[in-house]
Amino acid sequence: MKSTTEIEELGLTKQRKVVLSVIMDSKEHLTANEVFELSKGLLPKISFATVYNSLRYLKEEGLISEVSFGSGASKYDRMTDRHDHAICSKCGKLVDIHLDLPEELIRQAARHSKFKPESMELTLRGTCPECK
Amino acid sequence: MKSTTEIEELGLTKQRKVVLSVIMDSKEHLTANEVFELSKGLLPKISFATVYNSLRYLKEEGLISEVSFGSGASKYDRMTDRHDHAICSKCGKLVDIHLDLPEELIRQAARHSKFKPESMELTLRGTCPECK
DNA sequence: CTTAGAATTAGAATTATTCTAAATTCAACT
DNA sequence: AGTTGAATTTAGAATAATTCTAATTCTAAG
């Protein structure tokens, strides 16, 4: 996760700042379309393409993350610490959870896949409290 | 995972059998489009809509699973035992890995999310051997 | 101030997925 | 076997999600 200073050093454009702030200020995971709608509120002339470009850029810089599952649009999430997700198989609700993944599990995954590990994420599929 | 007998009891249509066999016989994870192309080889008149319908049906019956990540089309995978994925952040290559998730981790995830757990899956992001 | 590269814009294009309506198949009943 | 109704399939249209294009604007370096 980047520090405030590091973020400032990126010299984000007006549009990218807006896109970032929309995601930072949201409690929810937003689709690109939702980010676009909210950004328009702050910067009426912003275009869809810019939102997508910004999302890609911010993702590459590690400021936000993209989550996708099953069908439907990707969702964008502010990048905090490493975290995991739970998704409701009834209503599709997505929430963040913070788990301590045992180091051993990461080593095991790296060994099995022969991949050089960068990060690991866990997804719990289940029924959310509202749907239970 | 369903037994052969259970699968037979579903009375799959010709089309659904073809879609299922295409996925079962593939070593790779296939996109809906790839499933369509391969199915056409076996059943030239099959339509795209039927492939999607079949994929949805087979997924609901628990015979196949859908994997999606970042951008691009969903991929479909034969349902074997519970398993996890590793995805290459360079080339996008997706491979299956088999890990033993500690029960404790599942309980922890359920506790944090307040979801009734159904399944849990882990995704390792890293660099595949070819890209290293 | 000029200039080149990067970013933005509007809208078109592409890709992925779902929907629609008509035709077909299938199983259950007479 | 013939009829009926529900489920499925088909072809193609429609929608949704994402990316591309070309023209314009911004920005930072000289």
Side-chain angles (χ1 to χ4, degrees):
Chain A
M1 176 154 85
K2 280 199 161 64
S3 68
T4 315
T5 325
E6 283 173 319
I7 294 173
E8 274 168 13
E9 276 167 5
L10 286 175
L12 292 179
T13 64
K14 192 160 31 109
Q15 290 79 351
R16 289 173 184 178
K17 273 187 199 142
V18 163
V19 168
L20 181 58
S21 74
V22 159
I23 292 168
M24 288 297 185
D25 296 349
S26 166
K27 293 284 173 225
E28 307 282 319
H29 298 71
L30 302 172
T31 62
N33 192 58
E34 289 164 344
V35 173
F36 174 56
E37 291 301 336
L38 289 167
S39 297
K40 266 205 306 208
L42 300 170
L43 206 56
K45 318 222 56 183
I46 199 169
S47 76
F48 220 96
T50 299
V51 168
Y52 269 103
N53 286 340
S54 302
L55 290 172
R56 176 158 38 79
Y57 176 85
L58 295 170
K59 190 162 60 124
E60 280 165 9
E61 291 299 337
L63 297 176
I64 63 173
S65 69
E66 180 180 1
V67 196
S68 60
F69 51 90
S71 41
S74 284
K75 296 195 170 185
Y76 294 88
D77 191 8
R78 64 173 162 283
M79 187 70 85
T80 54
D81 297 322
R82 199 208 70 73
H83 65 272
D84 306 287
H85 291 110
I87 174 168
C88 178
S89 51
K90 296 249 178 5
C91 71
K93 185 177 177 194
L94 182 65
V95 307
D96 288 350
I97 50 182
H98 292 81
L99 300 174
D100 270 333
L101 297 193
E103 271 301 320
E104 173 50 24
L105 205 55
I106 300 174
R107 278 197 298 275
Q108 210 184 45
R111 205 163 349 102
H112 284 204
S113 62
K114 306 197 168 56
F115 277 40
K116 184 159 85 63
E118 286 160 12
S119 64
M120 195 154 91
E121 191 209 314
L122 198 144
T123 306
L124 175 75
R125 190 166 294 269
T127 317
C128 77
E130 287 72 39
C131 290
K132 271 196 292 215
Chain B
M1 177 157 82
K2 280 201 162 62
S3 69
T4 315
T5 326
E6 282 171 322
I7 294 173
E8 275 169 10
E9 275 167 5
L10 286 175
L12 293 179
T13 63
K14 192 159 32 104
Q15 289 81 351
R16 288 174 186 175
K17 272 187 199 141
V18 164
V19 168
L20 181 59
S21 74
V22 159
I23 292 168
M24 287 298 183
D25 295 351
S26 167
K27 293 285 173 223
E28 307 282 319
H29 298 72
L30 303 171
T31 63
N33 193 57
E34 288 163 345
V35 172
F36 175 55
E37 291 301 335
L38 290 167
S39 296
K40 266 207 303 207
L42 301 169
L43 206 58
K45 318 222 55 184
I46 199 168
S47 76
F48 219 95
T50 299
V51 167
Y52 268 103
N53 285 341
S54 301
L55 291 171
R56 176 158 36 80
Y57 177 84
L58 295 169
K59 191 163 59 126
E60 280 166 9
E61 291 298 337
L63 297 175
I64 63 174
S65 69
E66 182 180 0
V67 195
S68 59
F69 51 90
S71 41
S74 284
K75 295 195 170 186
Y76 294 88
D77 191 9
R78 64 174 165 285
M79 187 70 88
T80 54
D81 295 323
R82 199 207 70 72
H83 66 270
D84 306 287
H85 291 110
I87 173 167
C88 178
S89 51
K90 296 251 179 5
C91 70
K93 185 178 175 194
L94 182 65
V95 308
D96 289 351
I97 50 181
H98 293 81
L99 300 173
D100 271 333
L101 296 193
E103 272 301 319
E104 173 50 24
L105 204 57
I106 300 174
R107 277 197 299 275
Q108 211 184 47
R111 203 163 351 101
H112 284 205
S113 62
K114 305 197 168 57
F115 278 40
K116 183 159 86 61
E118 285 159 14
S119 64
M120 194 152 93
E121 192 208 312
L122 196 144
T123 306
L124 175 74
R125 190 165 293 268
T127 318
C128 77
E130 287 74 39
C131 290
K132 271 198 290 215

